[in-house]
Amino acid sequence: MIIAVYNHIEWLDMIFRMLEKQSSKEFEVIIADDGSNEQSVAYIQRLIKRASFPVQHVWHEDKGWRKNIILNKAVVASKAPYLVFIDGDCIPDCHFISDHLMLRQKGVVAACRRVQLSQRMTDEITPEKVEKGYLHYMFARLMLAGIHDCRRAIRIANPIGRKILKFFSRRGGLLGCNFGIYKEDLLRVNGFDERYLAAAVGEDTDLEMRLAQEGVITEKESYICRVYHRMHERNYPDNIFSDSKHTNTVIYLENKRNAVGYTPFGINKNV
């Protein structure tokens, strides 16, 4: 399991508390740290010391948004054959690992979703509340709070039930905050394209496109592998794809035009 973080370490504490409660213990954790400050790093080290599961902390200097670079370093550091990616502002439920392991297929990316918390929930949630079961009955909590798409908090383990509900769900692709893939499939495209140096497009949309070029399909999965995402301001424009001069868009369109699968700007630079 690879967790992308950058400061906001109190959310990593909540993630660790839920990892201690996982119904499956078959996982390792790689913290992909995009340059958290000294205080945050010290906090991470304390979390690692008290964790009952194996943890590696992969860090590099803060030189702006370099998430794809640190994700590649985390992939190299990982020992597990199957990788699950989440962001450090998403708290998994207690079946998260076992659900991802149930979905794993070679040649397929499990593109799972996230449950958006309200601002009030984001403000009131604490590690202590998570420890005491705050995430229980979240569907009811979200419904009472009037959260759109609160149904995403429902867990349906039966694959037939999920397939039926897919007909009533909106289409969606790979989200960098919650997906699973075999490591060998990710290495087929040389990991993440490290030329992306800004948020919005890069660790998910570009990766999905390049994986498809190598025959790795993206399978959207809802009502399973749930993570709860904190409310925060987005630091990138919604119309990024219509902005032809945005650096991310230029790189994405270049990869699309050239039908790039294996990127020379990924893990292996000797190409």
Side-chain angles (χ1 to χ4, degrees):
M1 179 177 181
I2 294 177
I3 308 172
V5 302
Y6 175 70
N7 296 320
H8 295 293
I9 303 303
E10 68 280 2
W11 280 75
L12 183 61
D13 187 355
M14 290 186 271
I15 292 172
F16 269 43
R17 291 184 190 233
M18 287 307 299
L19 290 179
E20 294 287 356
K21 298 176 182 291
Q22 291 298 301
S23 53
S24 172
K25 305 300 181 182
E26 297 180 50
F27 65 92
E28 63 171 356
V29 171
I30 314 294
I31 301 172
D33 189 342
D34 192 17
S36 293
N37 59 38
E38 185 176 340
Q39 181 180 2
S40 295
V41 169
Y43 192 98
I44 290 172
Q45 293 303 318
R46 291 196 294 273
L47 291 178
I48 292 174
K49 285 182 181 179
R50 75 184 191 204
S52 66
F53 43 85
V55 186
Q56 293 186 65
H57 180 212
V58 181
W59 179 93
H60 63 192
E61 187 179 354
D62 186 0
K63 294 183 179 180
W65 194 96
R66 296 191 296 156
K67 182 180 179 182
N68 280 12
I69 297 174
I70 199 64
L71 286 177
N72 277 343
K73 291 180 179 178
V75 170
V76 172
S78 66
K79 297 176 181 144
Y82 192 76
L83 305 177
V84 175
F85 292 82
I86 69 169
D87 282 346
D89 58 2
C90 294
I91 309 172
D93 81 335
C94 62
H95 299 293
F96 181 76
I97 297 294
S98 60
D99 284 347
H100 263 291
L101 293 178
M102 179 174 60
L103 294 177
R104 58 186 168 177
Q105 299 180 68
K106 289 189 176 180
V108 176
V109 184
C112 302
R113 319 321 288 167
R114 65 189 182 190
V115 181
Q116 182 64 59
L117 298 179
S118 68
Q119 188 63 62
R120 180 182 63 80
M121 289 178 174
T122 298
D123 293 340
E124 74 180 16
I125 194 168
T126 64
E128 292 72 28
K129 287 183 177 180
V130 168
E131 183 70 31
K132 292 178 180 179
Y134 182 88
L135 297 184
H136 296 337
Y137 312 110
M138 282 300 289
F139 171 70
R141 287 178 182 271
L142 292 162
M143 185 172 62
L144 291 172
I147 301 299
H148 182 62
D149 281 345
C150 61
R151 65 184 183 276
R152 288 182 178 174
I154 301 171
R155 178 176 180 261
I156 301 175
N158 187 303
I160 297 176
R162 292 199 309 277
K163 283 185 179 180
I164 292 172
L165 288 172
K166 277 185 182 181
F167 289 106
F168 305 97
S169 301
R170 292 178 298 177
R171 296 182 64 185
L174 185 66
L175 293 178
C177 66
N178 187 3
F179 73 96
I181 184 172
Y182 270 97
K183 185 173 181 177
E184 64 183 74
D185 287 333
L186 185 57
L187 294 179
R188 283 167 64 179
V189 297
N190 203 21
F192 299 88
D193 190 322
E194 297 183 1
R195 293 177 297 166
Y196 289 95
L197 298 174
V201 176
E203 84 275 20
D204 42 28
T205 312
D206 175 84
L207 179 62
E208 179 180 357
M209 177 182 67
R210 291 188 295 106
L211 285 167
Q213 290 292 336
E214 296 296 326
V216 180
I217 66 172
T218 297
E219 186 71 30
K220 177 186 172 183
E221 295 287 352
S222 299
Y223 308 104
I224 200 163
C225 304
R226 298 165 299 174
V227 296
Y228 297 94
H229 179 247
R230 75 182 179 92
M231 178 70 73
H232 60 82
E233 292 184 3
R234 301 174 71 178
N235 58 359
Y236 56 87
D238 290 328
N239 63 340
I240 188 168
F241 278 117
S242 62
D243 182 0
S244 61
K245 294 183 179 180
H246 194 286
T247 303
N248 285 28
T249 304
V250 171
I251 298 170
Y252 177 84
L253 293 177
E254 174 189 308
N255 283 345
K256 184 177 181 179
R257 182 173 60 253
N258 295 328
V260 173
Y262 186 100
T263 177
F265 305 100
I267 293 171
N268 181 11
K269 307 299 192 302
N270 299 318
V271 291

